[in-house]
Amino acid sequence: MRILILGAGKMGSFFTDILSFQHETAVYDTNPHQLRFVYNTYRFTTLEEIREFEPELVINAVTVKYTLEAFRQVIPALGKDCILSDIASVKTGLKSFYEESDFRYVSTHPMFGPTFASLSNLSSESAIVISESDHLGKVFFKDLYQSLNLNIFEYTFDEHDETVAYSLSIPFVSTLVFSAVMKHQEAPGTTFKKHMAIAKGLLNEDDYLLQEILFNPRTPAQVENIRRELKNLLEIIRDKDAEGMKKYLTQIRRNLQ
């Protein structure tokens, strides 16, 4: 299959690496300097090159902020039989875009990133495939993700957004709060250092990505849950309620089972 990958960043390079040995791949990036780091693939900087390549599948791996813009830029160079796809963690606007585009599409979300995941061992990681997607597109990505030993789940666009609000916004908000009250430690403990590593990794992410995840309409309810639990915990601590603390810790351990 002829596959065009939009964006030569971390995820674009990752998909190029895993696809280029079994498919004819090309990477398109408007910044030629980014293309220095991709190998075993065609490197495109113009729409004419894309038109001559005649891709059968486009994988949009650009930064979330530019996902729709990147699609609109390359669509004039695509044949009508080409399947559009994205791997965006934020699906805002994508469903309506796809429905209006007249192209077949497949939307997925690898629930991992280069910041924290070990890309050489993804057996403990997951991927979501959007159920409204084209059948052949879903088959392609399910086969790909199975070859990476990912745990695959099929959700609707709405179910995906709800999952992201829970699985990403809660740790993101918790990490941001930790970072907001953090003070430099001369002799940090192990737990502090682990939290610090997570915070640094998170804050290396694109600001727009963090914003869009936190601005998910379902995020405020999750933040309210955090605020309510903090209030309960603060009351236990202030009252030095040993029995209350025991019950609280018991309940939390149940949650982690």
Side-chain angles (χ1 to χ4, degrees):
M1 180 183 286
R2 292 186 304 279
I3 301 173
L4 174 68
I5 297 166
L6 305 182
K10 292 178 181 178
M11 290 303 287
S13 298
F14 170 71
F15 274 88
T16 303
D17 287 343
I18 61 177
L19 291 170
S20 60
F21 291 97
Q22 293 182 323
H23 301 275
E24 189 176 4
T25 62
V27 181
Y28 173 75
D29 200 297
T30 55
N31 180 2
H33 295 290
Q34 285 287 96
L35 295 171
R36 294 176 300 169
F37 306 108
V38 292
Y39 304 95
N40 197 40
T41 187
Y42 294 111
R43 292 180 273 187
F44 295 162
T45 57
T46 68
L47 294 182
E48 185 57 36
E49 290 172 306
I50 295 175
R51 192 174 287 111
E52 292 176 359
F53 183 62
E54 298 181 336
E56 299 167 86
L57 172 69
V58 172
I59 300 176
N60 192 332
V62 304
T63 304
V64 170
K65 184 177 182 179
Y66 301 108
T67 300
L68 294 179
E69 180 182 328
F71 272 140
R72 293 187 179 107
Q73 184 179 32
V74 302
I75 276 179
L78 304 178
K80 281 299 180 182
D81 291 332
C82 183
I83 299 176
L84 303 180
S85 73
D86 74 272
I87 56 169
S89 53
V90 177
K91 304 296 185 186
T92 305
L94 277 167
K95 183 178 181 181
S96 58
F97 168 81
Y98 283 135
E99 290 173 347
E100 295 168 3
S101 72
D102 292 329
F103 281 83
R104 291 181 294 160
Y105 71 88
V106 53
S107 185
T108 74
H109 180 187
M111 298 287 284
F112 60 88
T115 301
F116 297 118
S118 171
L119 298 183
S120 61
N121 181 14
L122 297 170
S123 59
S124 62
E125 306 292 344
S126 301
I128 293 173
V129 176
I130 300 300
S131 60
E132 292 99 324
S133 301
D134 174 78
H135 173 70
L136 291 179
K138 288 195 289 187
V139 169
F140 175 85
F141 276 95
K142 284 182 177 180
D143 287 346
L144 173 62
Y145 292 151
Q146 283 175 347
S147 72
L148 297 173
N149 297 315
L150 289 165
N151 301 292
I152 303 169
F153 301 89
E154 188 167 327
Y155 293 159
T156 65
F157 275 108
D158 285 342
E159 289 169 338
H160 167 269
D161 289 348
E162 185 174 353
T163 298
V164 167
Y166 177 79
S167 64
L168 293 184
S169 64
I170 288 179
F172 279 21
V173 168
S174 300
T175 301
L176 291 174
V177 171
F178 164 80
S179 303
V181 301
M182 185 191 66
K183 294 181 180 180
H184 177 71
Q185 299 292 310
E186 293 292 343
T190 302
T191 303
F192 184 93
K193 286 189 288 186
K194 287 182 177 180
H195 278 282
M196 181 68 133
I198 291 172
K200 287 182 176 179
L202 178 67
L203 291 169
N204 278 332
E205 296 285 359
D206 179 74
D207 286 359
Y208 186 84
L209 171 64
L210 298 177
Q211 171 185 298
E212 288 302 289
I213 288 173
L214 294 174
F215 287 1
N216 182 323
R218 295 172 175 83
T219 294
Q222 302 300 336
V223 178
E224 284 293 341
N225 288 339
I226 293 174
R227 183 161 65 176
R228 182 170 58 252
E229 289 303 320
L230 283 173
K231 181 175 180 293
N232 292 340
L233 181 58
L234 181 58
E235 289 177 356
I236 292 171
I237 293 171
R238 279 178 173 168
D239 296 342
K240 294 183 171 56
D241 182 358
E243 186 60 31
M245 179 61 78
K246 183 177 180 180
K247 291 180 180 178
Y248 193 80
L249 294 175
T250 299
Q251 181 58 52
I252 289 175
R253 289 190 175 103
R254 286 200 195 102
N255 291 348
L256 296 177
Q257 291 177 353

